[in-house]
Amino acid sequence: MKSTIVIFIAFIVLTSCSGTDVNVSETNSQGKWELVKMSGRTLNSETSGAAMEWQEFYLLNDNSTFTKSRTRDGNTSRSTGTYKITISGTETYFELTYSSQSDIIGSCYGNLKEELYFDNADVLVSTWQNCDGPRLEYRKTK
């Protein structure tokens, strides 16, 4: 009887892992990731599409370089750098390091780094929201 209970508990523990675990190799992360939704900390602050304050995308290249482009009020800014993929526990995220200072870097640290994590297999989210920045969600388009 005890062995049946132990097996049952082991089964529950092994099958109760989060359904949001993401395998980066399955996501085919290289390509263009466009901003599709932004929201602030206040109620009803979520916007999407043309209603967003700016339009933005990341282009992640297979040689671990990236370009970020933001268009706001008809002006487009671009910045480049390198990225690395990090897996920490069940979370997979990109650490982007910019080549030079830019006003389009969304970071809590005030340095040349940004982080994006997979909310699920097809949505990247900026960590900027952790320090009162907006929640920015990106979907792969190419």
Side-chain angles (χ1 to χ4, degrees):
M1 179 68 173
K2 285 184 182 181
S3 64
T4 304
I5 292 172
V6 170
I7 291 171
F8 178 73
I9 291 172
F11 174 77
I12 296 297
V13 169
L14 292 173
T15 60
S16 66
C17 295
S18 170
T20 59
D21 293 350
V22 177
N23 184 339
V24 172
S25 64
E26 292 174 8
T27 65
N28 191 16
S29 57
Q30 286 80 32
K32 187 175 183 181
W33 291 82
E34 289 191 35
L35 180 64
V36 294
K37 187 175 10 174
M38 62 176 28
S39 56
R41 297 207 181 266
T42 59
L43 266 146
N44 301 319
S45 66
E46 184 176 296
T47 57
S48 60
M52 294 185 297
E53 196 173 328
W54 64 79
Q55 302 298 308
E56 174 172 285
F57 69 85
Y58 292 93
L59 183 58
L60 301 177
N61 303 306
D62 58 5
N63 64 354
S64 297
T65 63
F66 73 92
T67 299
K68 181 177 183 179
S69 178
R70 178 183 291 172
T71 302
R72 184 179 199 166
D73 300 325
N75 298 315
T76 300
S77 300
R78 285 188 171 70
S79 198
T80 61
T82 59
Y83 70 89
K84 68 178 183 176
I85 298 171
T86 302
I87 298 172
S88 177
T90 61
E91 195 165 72
T92 301
Y93 64 95
F94 290 93
E95 181 181 297
L96 293 87
T97 303
Y98 287 83
S99 311
S100 61
Q101 191 60 43
S102 173
D103 61 346
I104 66 173
I105 299 173
S107 173
C108 296
Y109 309 112
N111 58 13
L112 299 176
K113 294 191 183 288
E114 261 185 5
E115 291 178 344
L116 302 166
Y117 67 93
F118 282 98
D119 192 33
N120 61 50
D122 65 344
V123 176
L124 277 175
V125 179
S126 170
T127 61
W128 196 11
Q129 68 186 344
N130 297 343
C131 58
D132 295 330
R135 177 180 168 90
L136 303 174
E137 295 183 19
Y138 302 85
R139 288 196 184 266
K140 189 173 179 187
T141 61
K142 292 183 187 178

